Amino acid sequence: MNTQTLEQMKQLRLHGMIRAFNSSLSPQSVDYTNDELVAYLIQSEWDDRQNRKVERLTKTARFRYSAIMENIDYNHERNIDRNQIQRFATCDFVTQKDNILITGSTGAGKSYMASAIGHQACSLGFKTMYFNTSKLFTMLKTSKADGSYLKQVNKIEKQDLLILDDFGLKGLDNINRHSLMEIIEDRHGKKSTIIASQLPVEAWYEIIGEQTIADAILDRLVHTAHRIDIKGESMRKKLKNK
């Protein structure tokens, strides 16, 4: 009977339930009532599916860092509002379609913070994608050549959270400028975006170039954005000197 039940569970891909059922057969297991056993099996399957979903979302996001919110450094010199970051951990900003703009000097921890928030979004079931901005633009230019551009842009548009890291390391040419405009326009009021940059937001106009497009992009980004400006010396330098 148990062998047949396990085989049926296997065919139904109830992996969490299989592990729980096997555990319940152990002599050391809890003596469940029928109701308790059913609840235990269902909860185990639910947990297994949620864990696999989070793993899938995290893998698809392709984060630069394996970062977690709990490891963010709140040293007072860094000018980080702990309450603000903890509110981000609920990912209400994703539900509300708000943006987050993170600025600070090289090594200040911008990428880590953006990745930590992204990991948290994945753990709560939100579809997330992380990109180094320069690599994103290179990929989009290549996709224009091979005919997959619309597919790539549509994929980005569907993400609940898009993270653009290292924005502004060099100025945008006309092709990249219009690609960024298309991405931001598609997401405006519909999805959330996090941008991390060494440059203050005021300098982004020059990086984007062409005043009209820069105004349009930043108008859509900034007005619904939470701002984080990280201060202090490079975290990389600090860790290296320890």
Side-chain angles (χ1 to χ4, degrees):
M1 177 63 178
N2 290 338
T3 301
Q4 180 182 4
T5 300
L6 285 168
E7 182 59 33
Q8 290 172 335
M9 287 182 182
K10 184 177 180 181
Q11 291 184 24
L12 291 170
R13 298 183 180 179
L14 301 174
H15 305 296
M17 196 173 286
I18 289 172
R19 284 193 290 272
F21 187 67
N22 278 325
S23 177
S24 72
L25 299 177
S26 169
Q28 291 79 32
S29 69
V30 176
D31 187 15
Y32 294 105
T33 66
N34 290 338
D35 288 348
E36 288 173 338
L37 179 59
V38 170
Y40 172 56
L41 294 176
I42 292 175
Q43 185 64 52
S44 297
E45 181 61 29
W46 171 268
D47 291 343
D48 182 73
R49 292 192 181 198
Q50 288 300 109
N51 290 337
R52 282 188 282 127
K53 179 181 179 181
V54 171
E55 289 176 4
R56 184 174 65 253
L57 289 172
T58 302
K59 183 178 180 181
T60 302
R62 303 181 70 178
F63 292 109
R64 179 177 179 181
Y65 297 105
S66 179
I68 57 174
M69 303 290 287
E70 291 78 6
N71 284 349
I72 292 175
D73 184 353
Y74 293 103
N75 186 296
H76 68 91
E77 295 178 352
R78 304 190 71 215
N79 189 43
I80 299 173
D81 184 341
R82 182 189 293 267
N83 289 329
Q84 182 186 40
I85 303 303
Q86 289 178 343
R87 286 194 293 271
F88 292 154
T90 67
C91 287
D92 285 346
F93 78 94
V94 179
T95 305
Q96 296 165 3
K97 284 77 176 177
D98 292 340
N99 302 318
I100 299 176
L101 309 181
I102 306 174
T103 54
S105 59
T106 300
K110 304 177 299 296
S111 298
Y112 188 93
M113 181 178 290
S115 296
I117 297 172
H119 275 280
Q120 182 70 8
C122 288
S123 73
L124 295 176
F126 293 106
K127 292 186 291 185
T128 302
M129 289 191 77
Y130 169 98
F131 287 102
N132 170 283
T133 305
S134 295
K135 291 181 180 179
L136 169 63
F137 288 142
T138 298
M139 182 271 286
L140 290 176
K141 280 185 176 179
T142 302
S143 70
K144 282 180 179 289
D146 65 21
S148 64
Y149 178 78
L150 288 179
K151 179 181 178 181
Q152 296 295 342
V153 170
N154 289 337
K155 183 178 180 181
I156 292 171
E157 180 185 1
K158 292 176 182 178
Q159 303 303 308
D160 299 309
L161 176 60
L162 171 67
I163 300 174
L164 299 180
D165 196 9
D166 288 331
F167 177 79
L169 293 183
K170 59 182 180 180
L172 304 187
D173 60 24
N174 190 52
I175 295 176
N176 292 342
R177 188 161 42 241
H178 282 86
S179 291
L180 180 62
M181 180 67 215
E182 186 170 1
I183 290 170
I184 299 304
E185 174 65 25
D186 286 344
R187 300 181 62 77
H188 179 56
K190 302 174 185 177
K191 305 289 184 179
S192 294
T193 302
I194 295 177
I195 297 183
S197 175
Q198 295 180 22
L199 302 175
V201 175
E202 294 72 24
W204 294 5
Y205 287 93
E206 183 177 351
I207 290 298
I208 295 171
E210 194 171 325
Q211 189 68 36
T212 303
I213 294 181
D215 283 340
I217 290 172
L218 293 177
D219 180 67
R220 288 159 174 76
L221 279 174
V222 177
H223 290 171
T224 57
H226 304 274
R227 305 275 287 271
I228 304 170
D229 184 25
I230 305 176
K231 305 293 186 181
E233 66 175 303
S234 169
M235 294 297 291
R236 297 193 194 105
K237 181 179 178 182
K238 186 183 294 186
L239 292 170
K240 184 178 180 181
N241 291 334
K242 281 188 175 180

